[in-house]
Amino acid sequence: MSLPLISAPVQGVWVLRTPRSAYVLSLGGQDVPLAAHWGAPVDDEAAIALAKVPFDAPRGSWESHLDGREEYPSDSGMRFTEPALALRFPDDGRTVRWVFGTAEIDGGHLRLRYTEQTRPLRLTLHYRVGERHDVVERWAELRTDVPVEVVRADSAAWCLPPREGTRLSTLHGRWGADSRLERTALPDGTLRLGSRRTTTSPMHNPWFAVDDGAATETHGEVWSAALAWSGTWRADVQRLPNGRVVANLGAGHESPVARLRAGTTYEAPKSCGLWTDGGFGAASRAWHDYVRGAVLPHGEELRPVLYNSWEATGFRLDEANQMALAERAAALGCELFVMDDGWFGNRVSDNAGLGDWQPNTDRFPDGLGPLVKRVHELGMRFGIWVEPEMVNPDSDLYRAHPDWVYHSPGYPRDELRNQLVLDVGRPEVAAWMHGWLDRLLSEYDIAFVKWDMNRPVTDPGPYGDLLWSSRHALNLYAVLDRLRHDHPHVRFESCASGGGRVDLGILARTDQVWPSDNTDASDRLHIQEGFSQLYPSRAMTAWVTDAPNFLTGNRLPLRFRFHVAMAGVLGIGGDLPRWTLEDQTEAAALIAQYKRIRPIVQQGSLHRLRSPRTSPAPALAYLSADGTEAAVFQFLDGHRYGEPAPPARLPFLPPGTWQDADTGTGYASAFLAAHGLDAGLFRNHDSAVTHLRRVA
Ligand code: DGJ
C-alpha cells in the first residue's frame, strides 16, 4: 500500500511526500513550526526520529537555537535570521507570538493555522504536494481584524539541512544577456537577489539552487526553490553563523508589501521547493515535469513552428511585406505566422502609437483581414504582437487619458523607450484593455498573442509600496485570466524585452516565453542552458535569425543557428526574401527534421551532456517520454586547432539497440554509454542533431 501524500504519524509531526522526496516539519516549543527534513523519502518512523533531532547548540548568548530551523521566522522574539514575516501595528508594536490552532490535511494540502497571542490576527502556513511531481509548494496567508502594515510576508523560509559545503547557483542577466547560470560558493551573511523593477526582470530570475559544492550534472543532492510571481520579489539566501543555510523567498522588494485594513487578508504567492539527489540534471528534469504537468495551462500540447517578423521588418511592416514573409515562411514549413510590433496606430517607430490598437490604415488599408486570410490560405495560424500595459505620450490614448499612467502629480513623467506605463489596477484601464483585446481576438481569427512589456515602472504614483509589491502584477494576471477564459483557443507568449518576465506565475497564464532578444546562437547556448535549469524547452521560443546577428555581428552557419533553436520551440525570425535558395532548401529540411523530433524535444527529458560554460563542445540530449527515442545535439563553439570533438556519451539511454533514424547506423546502448555518439565535428561552429530510435 502506498503511503499517503501527507501523514501526521504523531501529534505535531507532519510528513509530506512526493514521488521521490519527503519534507518533514514539526511543532517545537512555543508552537514554533520547525524544519525537520527535506530530502530522500522517509517512512513515518524515520520522520519521527528526524523530528527529534536536537537543535544545534547556540554559541554563547548571540545566537538562537531556532536560527536555520524555523519555517516562518518573524522579526520579534529570540531569533536572528532575516525575518520572513515583519508586521507593524498602529501602536508601533511589532511583537507577534503565534499560538498553534489546528492542522488540516486535505489530500496533498496541509494548512497549519495559528492565531496571534494578543491581537486578532490569524496566520495560515500552506504546504501542498502532488502525486505526479516532486515540488513542495508553500505560501503564507495572513488575516487580520486590526489594521496592520505588512513590512514583509514571504511565501516561505526554506531551511536546508547542514552539509559540509554550501554552493549557490543563480540565474542572472541583463537585456540581451538573460538567464545566465552562475555557480559560486555561498559566503557567510545574506545574499539578496531580487527585482524592484515592478516585474520579474532579466537581472535575476526568482530561482536558486544550493548544493554542498560537489554536486555535478549527474550526482549529488540539490535543493532549489522558485517563486511563482511576476512582480517585485526578493530572495534572502543566508549562511548563518552555525553554518546552516536558510533562504527566504517572497513578493515585494522594498517595504511594506501590504497595508491591511481590519477584516482583510494578504496571501503570499506560491514558493516552490524541490530536492533531488541526481545532481543538477535531475533537478532540472524534475522542475520541467512540474512546469509541464502542474503550471503551464496546456503543458502536454506540442507548440507549432512559428515565424516572427521583428528582426526582418522591424517597424517598417505593411500588408505587402508581411504577406511576402508569410509566403516564404509557409514554404519552409512554418505553422504559425506572428506579426510583431508596428501594425497599429502611428507606430512607425518606438516614438508613437502604443495605446492606439487599430490597424494602421496606411499599412493595412483594409484592416488585418486580408493578411489573416492569406496566412490561413497558406495553411498557417495567425499570431499578433501587443504591448497592452504601455502607452506612448504621442498617441490618441494618452491625449485622451493622460491620467491613466502611473505618475506622481507635479513630477516629470519618466519615459523609457518613449513610453509610460498604464495603471492596470484602475477599473476603467482594465476594462479598456480587456475591451480592445477582446474585440481584436473576436474580429480576427487569431491563435497566438505575443504579450510584450518593455519597461519597468519607475514612478509608483499614489500607490507607493503597494505598486512595487503587487498592484501591477495582480491586475495584469486578472486581465490575462479573463482573456484566456473568454478566448480559450488563443495561446500567449510572455515577453518583456526578452526574458524580463519569465517566472512560474506568468507561466501559469501563458504558453511559452521569449527568453531573450539575443538571437545569436552562440550566446543562446549559454542563455538556454540557464533557462533550462528550471524551465522546460516546451516553453522556450527560439528563433533562427539572419547573419550577421543584429546584436553581436557574429556570422554563424545557418545549420548551427538552426540546431541551437531546434533545442526549444523552433521559430524563424530571419528576413526570408533575402535568404538564398540554398539557405531556404536547407531551412526546409531542418524544419522537417525538427517536426520529427519535436515530441522528443518538447515533451522528453533533458540531459545536459557538456556545458557551454566549461566546454567548447557543448552537447545535450532529450529522451522521449516513453524512452524509445532520443535527440542528441552537439556543437563546437569557441573550438580551436581543428581537433575532433569528443563523442557525446549517452549513459541515460535505456538498454537496447539504437539506430540513427536518418542514416540507419545501429549502436548498442552500452557502446553509446561507454564511447558515445561521434558526430564527426571538428571545425568551429560545426553542429549536429542526431535522431536515435530504439529498435531492439
Ligand atoms: C521587444 C521584444 O523582445 C522584441 O522581440 C520585439 O517584439 C520588440 N519588443 C518590439 O518592439
Side-chain angles (χ1 to χ4, degrees), residues 310 315 340-341 347 385 417 450 452 454 495 497-498 514 517 543:
W310 175 243
F315 289 111
D340 210 282
D341 198 353
R347 187 73 171 165
W385 178 96
R417 208 192 188 208
K450 175 178 173 185
D452 203 350
N454 285 301
C495 171
S497 311
W514 179 231
D517 272 356
W543 305 341

Side-chain angles (χ1 to χ4, degrees), residues 623-624 626-630 650-658 668-670 694 696:
L623 178 66
S624 67
D626 65 3
T628 62
E629 290 185 89
L650 310 172
F652 57 87
L653 291 180
T657 304
W658 289 75
S669 53
R694 186 152 58 106

Side-chain angles (χ1 to χ4, degrees), residues 56-287:
D56 304 342
R59 285 267 184 98
S61 52
W62 297 91
E63 297 177 10
S64 165
H65 63 286
L66 295 176
D67 291 348
R69 289 288 305 272
E70 206 177 349
E71 288 281 291
Y72 205 63
S74 72
D75 66 345
S76 57
M78 216 173 65
R79 42 180 67 80
F80 304 107
T81 59
E82 297 290 344
L85 181 72
L87 303 177
R88 298 291 176 268
F89 299 99
D91 60 6
D92 268 354
R94 65 161 70 180
T95 301
V96 282
R97 187 168 157 230
W98 297 106
V99 180
F100 179 69
T102 56
E104 291 159 23
I105 298 173
D106 173 10
H109 192 160
L110 168 69
R111 292 176 185 83
L112 298 186
R113 296 198 188 276
Y114 284 88
T115 49
E116 211 284 313
Q117 183 172 299
T118 62
R119 304 185 196 253
L121 268 177
R122 277 169 280 165
L123 173 70
T124 306
L125 300 180
H126 293 264
Y127 295 81
R128 201 163 60 190
V129 285
E131 274 161 10
R132 300 162 73 97
H133 59 76
D134 285 308
V135 163
V136 177
E137 298 174 337
R138 290 180 56 190
W139 70 102
E141 189 187 333
L142 194 69
R143 166 95 193 157
T144 182
D145 286 321
V146 283
V148 60
E149 187 174 274
V150 183
V151 174
R152 192 89 210 138
D154 281 327
S155 304
W158 295 98
C159 300
L160 274 57
R163 292 293 184 267
E164 276 178 17
T166 44
R167 182 171 56 171
L168 180 71
S169 301
T170 58
L171 297 176
H172 72 109
R174 63 193 305 204
W175 176 80
D178 318 60
S179 68
R180 285 171 298 153
L181 178 63
E182 185 164 72
R183 206 155 266 163
T184 175
L186 187 62
D188 282 334
T190 300
L191 185 82
R192 177 163 292 174
L193 308 166
S195 163
R196 59 180 294 276
R197 290 175 164 82
T198 8
T199 193
T200 330
S201 99
M203 280 67 202
H204 298 286
N205 198 265
W207 167 88
F208 62 83
V210 176
D211 73 292
D212 68 0
T216 64
E217 270 300 305
T218 50
H219 293 95
E221 288 186 293
V222 177
W223 293 262
S224 49
L227 188 67
W229 179 238
S230 314
T232 57
W233 63 276
R234 199 166 97 184
D236 283 340
V237 188
Q238 306 153 70
R239 206 176 111 96
L240 306 176
N242 60 12
R244 285 183 178 261
V245 174
V246 55
N248 300 358
L249 197 47
H253 194 271
E254 279 101 21
S255 318
V257 294
R259 279 196 191 88
L260 299 183
R261 293 186 311 277
T264 57
T265 299
Y266 175 79
E267 187 169 350
K270 266 185 303 179
S271 173
C272 306
L274 177 82
W275 170 90
T276 46
D277 67 351
F280 300 111
S284 296
R285 287 188 288 280
W287 277 116

